[in-house]
C-alpha cells in the first residue's frame, strides 16, 4: 500500500485491487487523536460526577413544630426555624413589642403580629437579639401586642429562608425549669425606687426576669405572668 498524497492529515492510499481508502496519518492524526481522547475523558468525568452526586444523599432537615403558647425565652437556640400551628392569633397568647419582641412573647403569636405568618400557621425563622429598655405595643394583623418597660432578651421573626452555610437544629433546646419562687408565681425580692419615679418597684421572678410595676391613679394590680 503506497501513500499518494497527504492533505489535512488524510492519506489517500490504494489497495492492490484499485480500491481507494482514506486513513489518518502524520502529526495531524496525533492531534485529532489527542483531542478525541480529551473529549471522551471530559464526558466520562461529567457522567461520573453526576453519578457521585446522586449517590451522596444529604440528611433531610426536619423542621421542629411548636405550640402557640411557646415563648422565645424558653428556647436556648440563638437562631432556629420552627413550624407554627394554626390559631395563634388568639389573644391569650401574649405578645410584647412591635417588630422586635421581648422573649417573654409567644413565638408564633409574634409571627402573626409581624405579618410573616397568618392565622393558618407555617414555618418561620427566629433570631435572638439583645434586650431593649422598652417595648411598644401595637395592633397588627389581628393581634394586639402589649407594651413592656424592659426585658433581658429580644427576638425578631423572619421568613423561613435559611442562610447559606448555617445549620439549623432539627430539635430545639429548651431552658431548664424555673426557680421555686418563679414556679410559685412569687417575687423572690422586690427592688423599690423613689416614689416620684414612674416605676416604684420591680418584681424579680427568680432567674426568669423582672416585671416592672407601674404607678397609676387606679388601684395597683401586680400581674404575674
Amino acid at each position: 500500500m503506497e501513500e499518494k498524497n497527504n492533505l489535512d492529515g488524510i492519506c489517500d492510499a490504494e489497495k492492490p485491487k484499485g480500491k481507494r481508502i482514506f486513513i489518518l496519518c502524520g502529526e495531524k492524526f496525533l492531534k485529532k487523536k489527542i483531542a478525541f481522547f480529551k473529549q471522551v475523558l471530559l464526558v466520562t468525568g461529567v457522567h461520573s460526577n453526576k453519578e457521585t452526586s446522586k449517590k451522596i444523599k444529604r440528611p433531610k432537615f426536619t423542621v421542629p413544630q411548636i405550640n402557640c403558647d411557646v415563648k422565645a425565652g424558653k428556647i436556648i437556640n440563638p437562631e432556629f426555624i420552627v413550624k407554627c400551628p394554626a390559631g395563634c392569633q388568639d389573644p391569650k397568647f401574649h405578645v410584647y413589642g412591635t417588630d422586635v419582641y421581648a422573649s417573654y412573647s409567644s413565638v408564633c403569636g409574634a409571627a402573626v403580629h409581624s405579618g410573616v405568618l397568618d392565622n393558618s400557621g407555617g414555618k418561620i425563622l427566629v433570631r435572638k437579639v439583645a434586650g431593649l429598655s422598652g417595648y411598644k405595643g401595637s395592633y397588627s394583623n389581628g393581634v394586639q401586642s402589649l407594651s413592656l418597660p424592659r426585658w433581658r432578651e429580644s427576638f425578631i421573626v423572619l421568613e423561613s429562608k435559611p442562610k447559606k452555610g448555617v445549620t439549623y437544629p432539627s430539635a430545639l433546646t429548651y431552658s431548664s425549669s424555673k426557680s421555686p419562687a418563679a414556679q410559685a408565681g412569687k417575687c423572690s425580692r422586690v427592688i423599690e425606687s423613689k416614689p416620684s419615679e414612674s416605676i416604684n418597684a420591680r418584681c424579680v421572678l427568680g432567674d426568669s426576669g423582672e416585671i416592672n410595676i407601674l404607678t397609676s391613679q387606679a388601684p395597683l394590680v401586680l400581674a404575674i405572668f
Side-chain angles (χ1 to χ4, degrees), residues 5-225:
N5 55 14
N6 188 355
L7 298 175
D8 295 328
I10 299 177
C11 297
D12 186 1
E14 277 192 13
K15 286 187 176 180
K17 293 183 180 181
K19 294 182 180 180
R20 289 189 174 184
I21 60 171
F22 294 92
I23 60 173
L24 296 175
C25 62
E27 184 179 351
K28 291 187 178 181
F29 166 69
L30 292 175
K31 289 182 179 179
K32 289 183 179 181
K33 193 171 183 180
I34 291 171
F36 171 76
F37 279 111
K38 284 184 178 179
Q39 189 174 8
V40 171
L41 291 173
L42 180 62
V43 173
T44 306
V46 170
H47 181 71
S48 177
N49 289 337
K50 286 183 179 179
E51 290 296 323
T52 304
S53 61
K54 287 181 181 179
K55 290 179 182 179
I56 300 175
K57 292 183 178 180
R58 295 181 179 180
K60 190 176 181 181
F61 169 61
T62 303
V63 178
Q65 184 164 345
I66 60 174
N67 296 325
C68 295
D69 60 348
V70 173
K71 300 169 184 176
K74 290 287 188 180
I75 302 171
I76 295 177
N77 307 84
E79 188 170 330
F80 52 90
I81 294 176
V82 291
K83 185 177 181 180
C84 293
C88 296
Q89 199 178 50
D90 195 310
K92 69 181 180 181
F93 306 118
H94 296 155
V95 177
Y96 299 88
T98 301
D99 297 329
V100 179
Y101 303 94
S103 64
Y104 200 70
S105 305
S106 158
V107 173
C108 298
V112 177
H113 182 272
S114 67
V116 175
L117 289 184
D118 56 25
N119 201 37
S120 63
K123 298 176 184 178
I124 56 171
L125 172 62
V126 179
R127 184 177 300 153
K128 298 285 190 71
V129 292
L132 301 179
S133 58
Y135 300 84
K136 187 177 181 180
S138 64
Y139 182 82
S140 178
N141 301 305
V143 176
Q144 176 65 58
S145 68
L146 307 174
S147 297
L148 192 68
R150 74 171 184 174
W151 199 253
R152 67 187 184 280
E153 184 184 56
S154 309
F155 70 98
I156 57 176
V157 183
L158 305 167
E159 294 182 0
S160 59
K161 293 181 179 179
K163 294 190 297 185
K164 291 182 179 179
V166 178
T167 303
Y168 295 93
S170 295
L172 300 176
T173 304
Y174 290 88
S175 61
S176 58
S177 59
K178 295 180 180 179
S179 64
Q183 287 180 345
K186 298 178 181 179
C187 298
S188 58
R189 67 181 187 278
V190 174
I191 305 173
E192 297 183 356
S193 58
K194 295 179 181 179
S196 59
E197 296 179 358
S198 60
I199 300 173
N200 60 11
R202 283 183 290 151
C203 175
V204 182
L205 298 178
D207 297 327
S208 64
E210 301 174 354
I211 293 179
N212 296 308
I213 306 170
L214 304 179
T215 58
S216 63
Q217 294 180 352
L220 179 63
V221 177
L222 173 60
I224 302 296
F225 300 98

